[in-house]
Amino acid sequence: MTGQTPFAIVTGASTGIGLELARCCSKAGFDLLIAADEPAIEAAAVELRTGGRSVEAVQADLATEEGVNRLCEAAKGRPVDALLANAGRGLGHAFLEQNFPDVRKVIDTNVTGTLYLIHRIGNEMRRRNSGRILITGSIAGFTPGSFQAVYNASKAFLNSFSFALREELRDSAVTVTCLMPGATETDFFRRADMLDTKVGAAEKDDAGEVAQIGFDAMMSGEGDVVSGWKNKVMSAAANVVPSGVLASQHRRMAEPGSANS
C-alpha cells in the first residue's frame, strides 16, 4: 500500500459481484475508480459515495484497448493499490448457432481486455513493488461448457493465467489472487440468454458473500479461492472426472429449455 488513502480500481462494478467487490473496498477504506460498459455505473458510484469514500466512475467498453486506456487515464497517475479485474460477459446456446460478433465480444471482454488492463496496471505495480491483483475466474473454467463453450473456455484461460502470473511475481511484493465462484445471483444469466436453462433457473450463491470471500483472499495474499462448499466439491471432482463426462453433465445444466425438463 501507499502511505496515502489506498486506491482501488474495480471493473464490471455496475452490478453483481463487481459492485459487491467495490462495496468491500469502500468499507475497507479504499478510494475507488469503478468501470463498466453501461450507464448503471454512475448509479453505482452515487451509492458507493454514501460510504464516505472518493468514488469516480468510468463508462467504457473494456473489451477494447481504447476503453482500457480511458480507464487507466481516469486514474490520473495515482498509484493503484488494488486492481479487481472482474469485468466479464457470458454467452449461452450452441457455439455454431451463436453470432460470431457475440463470441468475439466474450473473448475480448473476458480475456483480451482483462489481460491488457492487468498488463498496464501490473507493470506500474511491479515498478513500485507493491500492489494486489484480484482476477475473477470461475469454477466454470474446470469444465468443458457445452452450450456455454466460449465462456467456460475464457474462464479456464483466466484461471490458468492467474496462477502463472502469480508465480512470475513470486519474488515481488505484488500478489495475484483468483476468485473462482460458481453460479451467483447476478444479471449474468439474463444477459447470457440462459434463463430457460437449469443452471439459470437454479438457486444461486449470494453475490455479496462471494465478493467478500474474494476480497478477503486478495487482502491476505492468497493465490486462489473457490467460494462455497458445493463449488469446492465440484472443482475437486472436475480434476478426476473425464472431460467427456463433464461436458455431458454441463449440457444437462446449460442446454436451452433444460429448465423445463
Side-chain angles (χ1 to χ4, degrees):
M1 296 287 184
T2 64
Q4 303 174 341
T5 302
F7 177 52
I9 293 178
V10 186
T11 66
S14 55
T15 60
I17 295 174
L19 176 56
E20 296 295 343
L21 285 170
R23 287 174 176 151
C24 291
C25 289
S26 179
K27 290 175 183 176
F30 284 83
D31 287 341
L32 286 165
L33 173 59
I34 60 174
D37 63 355
E38 58 182 0
I41 194 64
E42 297 293 344
V46 171
E47 178 206 321
L48 289 164
R49 289 186 190 112
T50 63
R53 308 310 318 169
S54 169
V55 182
E56 298 296 328
V58 174
Q59 183 180 343
D61 184 358
L62 301 180
T64 67
E65 287 191 20
E66 293 79 9
V68 173
N69 288 338
R70 183 179 173 194
L71 173 60
C72 292
E73 288 162 7
K76 300 177 182 178
R78 184 171 178 179
V80 179
D81 297 291
L83 170 62
L84 295 87
N86 171 79
R89 183 178 294 271
L91 186 62
H93 296 275
F95 172 68
L96 295 180
E97 296 172 5
Q98 294 164 348
N99 295 318
F100 193 76
D102 294 336
V103 171
R104 181 66 180 269
K105 189 75 170 182
V106 171
I107 296 170
D108 287 346
T109 303
N110 297 6
V111 178
T112 309
T114 297
L115 263 60
Y116 180 46
L117 177 61
I118 293 171
H119 193 267
R120 285 204 56 172
I121 302 299
N123 266 298
E124 181 254 322
M125 287 180 171
R126 186 175 61 173
R127 283 192 292 270
R128 291 181 8 244
N129 196 33
S130 176
R132 306 175 190 275
I133 298 171
L134 177 69
I135 300 170
T136 301
S138 175
I139 66 165
F142 298 127
T143 302
S146 308
F147 296 92
Q148 209 175 348
V150 176
Y151 173 78
N152 283 36
S154 73
K155 290 300 183 175
F157 184 103
L158 288 179
N159 292 353
S160 174
F161 171 78
S162 70
F163 283 104
L165 181 61
R166 179 179 176 83
E167 176 61 24
E168 291 177 4
L169 293 170
R170 183 179 62 182
D171 296 328
S172 77
V174 179
T175 63
V176 180
T177 303
C178 186
L179 169 61
M180 294 179 280
T184 304
E185 196 60 58
T186 68
D187 286 340
F188 173 88
F189 292 96
R190 177 186 61 80
R191 292 173 176 171
D193 193 20
M194 294 182 67
L195 292 180
D196 65 341
T197 65
K198 283 185 178 178
V199 66
E203 183 178 353
K204 302 173 184 65
D205 296 332
D206 179 75
E209 293 178 3
V210 170
Q212 191 66 58
I213 289 169
F215 179 81
D216 290 345
M218 178 190 74
M219 295 304 292
S220 299
E222 297 176 36
D224 64 289
V225 61
V226 175
S227 58
W229 68 267
K230 182 175 68 174
N231 298 323
K232 294 180 189 295
V233 171
M234 291 174 62
S235 62
N239 290 322
V240 295
V241 177
S243 294
V245 174
L246 292 173
S248 178
Q249 292 174 343
H250 197 279
R251 177 184 191 130
R252 291 197 292 272
M253 295 298 296
E255 187 170 11
S258 60
N260 301 316
S261 61

